[in-house]
């Protein structure tokens, strides 16, 4: 039944996906390639969800519109959470600009200086980030994933303020040259 509905309304379904994707792409200033990716993602999601369609609960068009809208919302939410840094699994090395091999001692000293100025919990998270993901750190430390992400945010801010983030390479070079 769901396969028949899917096949019969495929042109309408493509139109629904295209309109939603174009709207999202325009609203968020995404390139054309992203619009096409969004269309494909929502069509794939509809294909996956088609066995859940129940004609007694509503029409195929309504079902497909809801699946497309829900998936599009999830994709946009995920896009923004990635931009803000939430749910990223970055090693500690990505937070610190990589110094030239002859500057390793300076970098170690700078990292130690920054870590001395953060809380014990944040130092624990920083130490665990060398070997574990944020999710694993939460389990190891017995705290929620959100707590770990907040600690990572504070660490990121501390390293940035000290000029040691990947965006502050010039600042780190100035600090090393001044010493």
């Amino acid at each position: 039944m769901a396969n028949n509905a899917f096949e019969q309304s495929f042109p309408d379904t493509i139109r629904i996906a295209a309109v939603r994707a174009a709207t999202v792409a325009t609203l968020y200033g995404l390139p054309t390639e992203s619009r096409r990716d969004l269309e494909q993602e929502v069509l794939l999601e509809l294909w996956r969800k088609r066995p859940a369609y129940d004609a007694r609960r509503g029409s195929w068009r309504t079902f497909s519109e809801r699946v497309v809208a829900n998936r599009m919302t999830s994709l946009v939410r995920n896009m923004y959470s990635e931009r803000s840094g939430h749910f990223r699994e970055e090693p500690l090395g990505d937070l610190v600009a990589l110094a030239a091999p002859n500057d390793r001692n300076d970098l170690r000293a700078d990292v130690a200086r920054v870590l001395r100025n953060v809380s014990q919990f944040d130092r624990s998270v920083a130490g665990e980030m060398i070997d574990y993901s944020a999710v694993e750190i939460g389990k190891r430390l017995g705290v929620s994933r959100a707590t770990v992400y907040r600690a990572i945010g504070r660490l990121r801010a501390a390293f940035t303020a000290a000029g040691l983030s990947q965006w502050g390479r010039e600042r780190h070079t100035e600090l090393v040259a001044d010493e």
Side-chain angles (χ1 to χ4, degrees):
M1 177 80 168
N3 283 339
N4 280 342
F6 185 84
E7 290 170 8
Q8 289 173 353
S9 67
F10 191 69
D12 292 335
T13 304
I14 288 177
R15 174 119 174 95
I16 291 167
V19 168
R20 287 275 184 173
T23 302
V24 168
T26 302
L27 272 170
Y28 296 100
L30 301 176
T32 305
E33 298 81 31
S34 294
R35 189 193 80 227
R36 289 190 205 115
D37 289 344
L38 290 171
E39 284 179 41
Q40 289 175 0
E41 277 290 327
V42 296
L43 287 173
L44 182 61
E45 183 69 9
L46 186 57
W47 178 256
R48 283 188 205 124
K49 298 275 183 173
R50 77 189 187 318
Y53 171 66
D54 184 1
R56 296 172 298 191
R57 296 181 67 196
S59 71
W60 173 260
R61 181 177 175 90
T62 303
F63 176 79
S64 60
E65 285 176 351
R66 292 311 333 138
V67 170
V68 166
N70 290 341
R71 181 63 180 154
M72 196 67 69
T73 301
S74 294
L75 290 168
V76 169
R77 186 178 299 135
N78 186 33
M79 178 178 63
Y80 271 93
S81 66
E82 287 177 8
R83 282 186 186 166
S84 65
H86 295 292
F87 308 114
R88 271 200 191 149
E89 305 268 338
E90 295 179 5
L92 185 59
D94 288 352
L95 295 175
V96 180
L98 297 175
N102 58 356
D103 288 339
R104 283 189 185 222
N105 290 334
D106 291 335
L107 180 59
R108 279 193 191 115
D110 289 341
V111 169
R113 178 178 41 84
V114 171
L115 291 178
R116 274 194 306 269
N117 295 322
V118 298
S119 71
Q120 178 59 42
F121 178 76
D122 290 356
R123 278 194 296 275
S124 298
V125 170
E128 295 286 329
M129 286 179 69
I130 294 168
D131 297 317
Y132 301 101
S133 71
V135 173
E136 293 169 326
I137 293 169
K139 289 177 184 174
R140 290 178 59 83
L141 298 177
V143 297
S144 72
R145 183 175 55 192
T147 301
V148 173
Y149 286 123
R150 283 191 292 272
I152 292 170
R154 289 188 300 270
L155 286 165
R156 201 175 268 138
F159 280 102
T160 301
L164 296 174
S165 71
Q166 66 188 42
W167 301 279
R169 287 186 181 160
E170 299 80 15
R171 174 85 175 108
H172 179 260
T173 305
E174 291 170 13
L175 288 173
V176 171
D178 290 343
E179 292 177 0

